[in-house]
């Protein structure tokens, strides 16, 4: 908290632990652990029963095989079945570490994209979704973004997500404003 910013927000882009800092702020404001807040405000209301920071033996047994590509041989190598982004018992990252199922994640994505679940639970106001998927970077920030993450050509950076600005440049069939994040695990 004592370190100065590298630049004013929106003027540049730097991949960082900013979402982890936001999670810490949520803990302070809510007066509870980040996981408790997520369970109360996001997971339980959306019916997400299999999303957590703490992987159970049951979840581990159901985890599908993941692979990484050996850069020399270009062959797929099986990864150990684990949640490699669960850093410690006390560190609940705002940007990594959650483990989920496809069913739970689909519920979250639907509510995030629309602001509301199919059952009518309002996760975000429509204007919040619009703001989130609107590029917040100036030209310098967009250039830094695409140079640091080459797969982001045609995208800007909204509030916590990349957002599609130019489908042709991105070689995408998605509409302008499509948003998301590939994440460290792809």
């Amino acid at each position: 908290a004592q370190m100065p910013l590298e630049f004013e927000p929106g003027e540049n882009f730097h991949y960082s632990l900013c979402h982890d800092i936001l999670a810490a702020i949520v803990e302070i404001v809510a007066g509870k652990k980040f996981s408790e807040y997520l369970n109360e405000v996001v997971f339980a209301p959306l019916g997400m029963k299999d999303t957590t920071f703490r992987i159970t033996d049951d979840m581990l047994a159901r985890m599908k095989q993941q692979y990484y590509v050996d850069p020399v041989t270009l062959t797929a190598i099986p990864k150990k079945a684990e949640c490699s982004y669960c850093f410690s018992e006390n560190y609940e990252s705002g940007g990594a570490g959650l483990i989920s199922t496809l069913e739970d994640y689909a519920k979250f994505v639907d509510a995030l994209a629309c602001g509301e679940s199919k059952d009518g639970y309002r996760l975000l106001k429509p204007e919040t979704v619009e703001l989130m998927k609107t590029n917040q970077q100036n030209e310098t920030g967009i250039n830094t973004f695409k140079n640091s993450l080459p797969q982001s050509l045609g995208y800007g950076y909204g509030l916590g997500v990349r957002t599609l600005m130019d489908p042709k440049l991105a070689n995408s069939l998605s509409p302008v404003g499509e948003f998301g994040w590939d994440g460290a695990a792809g």
Side-chain angles (χ1 to χ4, degrees), residues 21-54:
I21 292 168
L22 289 173
I25 292 170
V26 167
E27 287 185 336
I28 292 166
V29 172
K32 58 186 77 173
K33 289 180 69 167
F34 189 50
S35 58
E36 292 171 5
Y37 178 83
L38 290 176
N39 281 325
E40 289 176 21
V41 176
V42 180
F43 304 153
L46 293 178
M48 297 171 65
K49 297 175 174 67
D50 247 348
T51 303
T52 181
F53 283 105
R54 308 287 170 251

Side-chain angles (χ1 to χ4, degrees), residues 2 11 24 34 37 40 47 52 77 96 107 110 120 126 134 137 141 143 146 152 164 169 172:
Q2 301 302 317
E11 287 184 358
F34 189 50
Y37 178 83
E40 289 176 21
T52 181
I77 309 295
K107 293 174 183 177
D110 182 53
T134 300
Q137 296 286 311
N143 287 331
K146 73 179 181 188
S152 66
L164 186 58
L169 190 59
S172 174

Side-chain angles (χ1 to χ4, degrees), residues 65-137:
Q65 182 64 57
Q66 292 180 318
Y67 299 87
Y68 69 92
V69 176
D70 182 300
V72 176
T73 65
L74 299 179
T75 57
I77 309 295
K79 291 175 72 172
K80 180 180 176 186
E82 64 182 357
C83 182
S84 56
Y85 297 99
C86 296
F87 304 116
S88 78
E89 194 65 32
N90 294 320
Y91 184 20
E92 297 178 341
S93 168
L98 279 173
I99 190 157
S100 189
T101 61
L102 184 58
E103 182 180 350
D104 272 12
Y105 195 64
K107 293 174 183 177
F108 175 69
V109 169
D110 182 53
L112 189 62
C114 304
E116 184 176 326
S117 74
K118 67 177 182 159
D119 301 327
Y121 176 70
R122 168 83 37 215
L123 181 63
L124 298 169
K125 295 178 186 175
E127 55 267 32
T128 303
V129 174
E130 283 303 312
L131 188 60
M132 212 173 111
K133 67 182 189 175
T134 300
N135 175 56
Q136 304 294 319
Q137 296 286 311

